[in-house]
């Protein structure tokens, strides 16, 4: 009996320690930097800050800590991979609107939709007016919203944003329809460096085959809880230890950064999985 009591107490203590650690991690910001070199570039290159899955999170009052971190990086543009809001119950747009529109006063800000923004867009009776107002306020604040569209950024970059079909966010391992990328965005540029904002990293092979030089994705929150050597435990689509839920990936000279995101929703836990701000520097390839 004493052994059972000891084991129960130890389990309770371990659970409490994990809970405290999770509370600490949810309010931390991990800045992670990457460099990509491409033969498509001839100029000085660009630095992009990528943020995703904010889910109405604030780091300090008015997100002042997040603003400070982004400003220190002095990016050429801030890119958002979607799910900046939570489309569940009473949706509060103020935090994401404030973050993106204030950033747009200092940097170009380019965003795409995640599954939460797309849910707002589809469910017109519940969220339709909210989504319309949200997009109008972003545009009025100088934010560029890409939904199945692209923007040429300078002479050497093309930034694309794609809205994935709703079934791509259902449980299991959905597949994109044949030629979905070409039908939605047209052919990829073979002269400009193509940055694709696609909320889900699940379709990296299709993105790369289409011609995305760099895909920036999120959605999976790093697997919520990360275990050494095993990676993220579970994605929102109930995949366990899914390999593309976080990290830097390469396939035949094309790349993907799958971000862990900044916020949480529904499962309000982070363990060994700090909120992440990605800084990616894209430079010309130097050959000797």
């Amino acid at each position: 009996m004493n052994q059972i009591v000891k084991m129960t107490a130890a389990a309770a203590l371990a659970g409490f320690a994990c809970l405290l650690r999770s509370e600490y991690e949810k309010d931390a910001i991990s800045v992670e930097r990457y460099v990509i070199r491409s033969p498509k570039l001839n100029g000085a290159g660009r630095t992009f800050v990528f943020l995703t899955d904010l889910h109405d999170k604030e780091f300090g009052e008015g997100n002042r800590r997040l603003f400070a971190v982004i400003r220190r990086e002095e990016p050429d543009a801030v890119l958002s991979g979607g799910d900046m809001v939570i489309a569940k119950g009473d949706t509060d747009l103020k935090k994401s609107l404030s973050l993106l529109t204030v950033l747009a006063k200092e940097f170009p800000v380019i965003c795409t939709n995640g599954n939460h923004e797309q849910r707002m867009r589809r469910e017109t009776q519940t969220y339709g007016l909210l989504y319309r107002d949200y997009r109008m306020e972003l545009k009025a604040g100088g934010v560029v919203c890409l939904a199945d569209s692209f923007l040429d950024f300078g002479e050497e970059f093309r930034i694309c944003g794609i809205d994935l079909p709703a079934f791509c966010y259902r449980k299991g391992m959905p597949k994109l329809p044949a030629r979905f990328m070409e039908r939605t965005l047209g052919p990829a540029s073979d002269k400009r460096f193509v940055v694709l904002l696609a909320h889900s990293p699940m379709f990296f092979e299709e993105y790369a085959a289409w011609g995305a030089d760099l895909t920036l994705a999120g959605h999976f929150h790093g697997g919520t809880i990360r275990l050494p050597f095993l990676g993220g435990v579970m994605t929102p689509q109930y995949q366990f230890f899914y390999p593309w839920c976080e990290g830097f990936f390469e396939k035949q000279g094309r790349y993907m950064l799958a971000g862990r995101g900044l916020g949480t929703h529904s499962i309000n836990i982070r363990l060994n999985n700090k909120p992440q701000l990605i800084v990616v520097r894209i430079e010309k390839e130097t050959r000797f």
Side-chain angles (χ1 to χ4, degrees):
M1 189 66 172
N2 287 340
Q3 187 66 23
I4 294 175
V5 171
K6 289 180 181 178
M7 291 175 63
T8 303
L13 186 61
F16 182 67
C18 288
L19 180 62
L20 288 179
R21 176 67 188 184
S22 176
E23 290 302 305
Y24 158 73
E25 286 196 17
K26 285 189 295 183
D27 207 39
I29 304 174
S30 176
V31 179
E32 298 173 26
R33 300 175 179 86
Y34 301 86
V35 177
I36 294 172
R37 294 180 174 87
S38 171
K40 285 187 174 182
L41 270 63
N42 293 310
R46 299 278 188 169
T47 298
F48 299 105
V49 161
F50 176 63
L51 46 90
T52 188
D53 296 278
L54 181 71
H55 289 303
D56 296 326
K57 169 69 177 173
E58 280 190 307
F59 294 89
E61 185 178 356
N63 263 315
R64 57 184 175 79
R65 289 173 47 224
L66 185 55
F67 280 121
V69 172
I70 293 172
R71 287 175 180 130
R72 279 199 296 270
E73 299 300 325
E74 299 181 339
D76 293 293
V78 175
L79 309 180
S80 168
D83 274 13
M84 302 299 281
V85 300
I86 300 176
K88 184 178 181 180
D90 294 330
T91 299
D92 179 10
L93 306 177
K94 294 178 182 177
K95 294 172 185 175
S96 58
L97 277 173
S98 174
L99 176 67
L100 294 172
T101 56
V102 171
L103 283 171
K105 295 177 182 177
E106 303 178 42
F107 314 101
V109 175
I110 304 165
C111 68
T112 196
N113 289 325
N115 55 297
H116 280 253
E117 288 92 354
Q118 286 184 246
R119 185 183 303 163
M120 290 170 61
R121 188 179 188 179
R122 289 193 310 270
E123 297 179 9
T124 53
Q125 289 184 335
T126 307
Y127 299 117
L129 292 178
L130 278 177
Y131 179 81
R132 183 199 65 185
D133 293 345
Y134 182 64
R135 290 294 293 265
M136 288 178 62
E137 289 192 48
L138 286 175
K139 185 176 180 180
V143 177
V144 176
C145 299
L146 299 177
D148 298 337
S149 56
F150 64 84
L151 167 74
D152 287 338
F153 188 79
E155 296 295 322
E156 297 186 309
F157 289 86
R158 175 167 291 178
I159 300 173
C160 307
I162 196 163
D163 281 3
L164 295 169
F167 67 79
C168 290
Y169 298 110
R170 294 173 187 159
K171 295 177 185 177
M173 300 292 289
K175 296 185 180 297
L176 279 181
R179 298 188 61 80
F180 172 79
M181 297 297 297
E182 289 85 349
R183 292 201 311 268
T184 306
L185 287 171
S189 173
D190 59 356
K191 303 202 183 306
R192 294 175 180 266
F193 187 95
V194 177
V195 179
L196 174 67
L197 302 177
H199 188 61
S200 175
M202 189 180 295
F203 310 105
F204 174 40
E205 292 182 350
E206 288 85 345
Y207 305 150
W210 169 71
D213 296 294
L214 171 63
T215 297
L216 297 173
H219 182 50
F220 287 151
H221 299 187
T224 306
I225 296 171
R226 297 189 61 78
L227 300 180
F229 308 110
L230 296 176
V233 172
M234 185 180 76
T235 75
Q237 291 174 238
Y238 299 98
Q239 295 117 341
F240 294 90
F241 300 106
Y242 186 70
W244 290 348
C245 68
E246 184 270 350
F248 184 47
F249 306 93
E250 186 268 341
K251 187 173 182 65
Q252 296 180 343
R254 305 193 189 275
Y255 303 92
M256 179 173 73
L257 280 163
R260 300 192 301 271
L262 290 162
T264 61
H265 75 93
S266 300
I267 302 174
N268 193 22
I269 297 171
R270 279 186 176 271
L271 198 59
N272 295 325
N273 184 28
K274 290 180 181 178
Q276 182 189 39
L277 191 76
I278 289 175
V279 182
V280 56
R281 174 73 184 170
I282 304 170
E283 301 177 343
K284 65 180 179 181
E285 184 178 71
T286 302
R287 297 182 179 179
F288 297 96

